[in-house]
Amino acid sequence: MKDNKKEKMKERLKELRSSTVLPALLCLIYGIVLIIWPDISSNFICYAIGVAIMLVGVIFVIRYLRKDLVRDFYRKDLVIGLIAISLGLVALLRVELIKGLIPTILGIVVLFSGIVKLQNAIDMFRMQFTHWYFILILALLNMGFGILLIIEPLWIVDVVFVLIGCGLVYSGLSDLLTLYFVSKTIKNIVKESDIID
């Protein structure tokens, strides 16, 4: 394997780690909080969602103010930023409205996490990694949790939030497991290429 290709794979692994570990840990923390304190967690999550959306908006506004206008002309960073800040404010001011959407919102997050893992499983299958089916099982279970949360069964609120907590904990753990297996696969490919070279 050429050096530049190996460097690209290592760089991709670093990017994967940086983009996976923090969201997975946040899922774990949110999930544990929901399981232990389902009755007081809903308001916390509403405020967290509002603040998170506002932070995304602020990041887009800052990116707009710092960008090269000639090179990045006609990008919508400022518009996206202001819309996100506005949505964040609505989430903070209309907590009851957001509460009803929490199962669906978190269900979409968990479903998306499962879809990402599904692609990881397919990629590992195409690279002929022997344990690709393990990631596939994790992905299907993850997607199942997400769909269940989106459907939102007519159970009492506490049970729904405990279920959401379980889904987030599972999503976080399975993300970390997937990262471990993908990292191992990439390292093995690089190592085998070094032996061949």
Side-chain angles (χ1 to χ4, degrees), residues 120-134:
N120 290 334
I122 293 168
D123 289 343
M124 291 170 77
F125 171 73
R126 292 178 66 191
M127 288 189 291
Q128 298 181 337
F129 183 63
T130 52
H131 296 99
W132 66 272
Y133 56 86
F134 182 69

Side-chain angles (χ1 to χ4, degrees), residues 111-124:
L111 179 61
F112 178 76
S113 173
I115 292 169
V116 170
K117 279 192 276 294
L118 179 63
Q119 179 174 323
N120 290 334
I122 293 168
D123 289 343
M124 291 170 77

Side-chain angles (χ1 to χ4, degrees), residues 100-118:
L101 297 173
I102 284 176
T104 302
I105 293 168
L106 293 181
I108 291 168
V109 170
V110 173
L111 179 61
F112 178 76
S113 173
I115 292 169
V116 170
K117 279 192 276 294
L118 179 63

Side-chain angles (χ1 to χ4, degrees), residues 159-193:
V159 176
V160 171
F161 278 101
V162 169
L163 179 64
I164 291 170
C166 291
L168 289 174
V169 168
Y170 176 82
S171 182
L173 287 173
S174 59
D175 281 350
L176 293 174
L177 276 171
T178 301
L179 177 62
Y180 168 76
F181 281 112
V182 171
S183 300
K184 191 175 177 182
T185 302
I186 292 173
K187 285 178 182 176
N188 286 341
I189 290 170
V190 172
K191 192 184 292 183
E192 285 173 9
S193 69

Side-chain angles (χ1 to χ4, degrees), residues 68-85:
D68 183 340
L69 287 175
V70 175
R71 189 185 65 187
D72 297 324
F73 180 70
Y74 208 65
R75 285 182 60 177
K76 303 290 191 300
D77 290 348
L78 181 62
V79 174
I80 293 169
L82 292 176
I83 289 172
I85 291 169

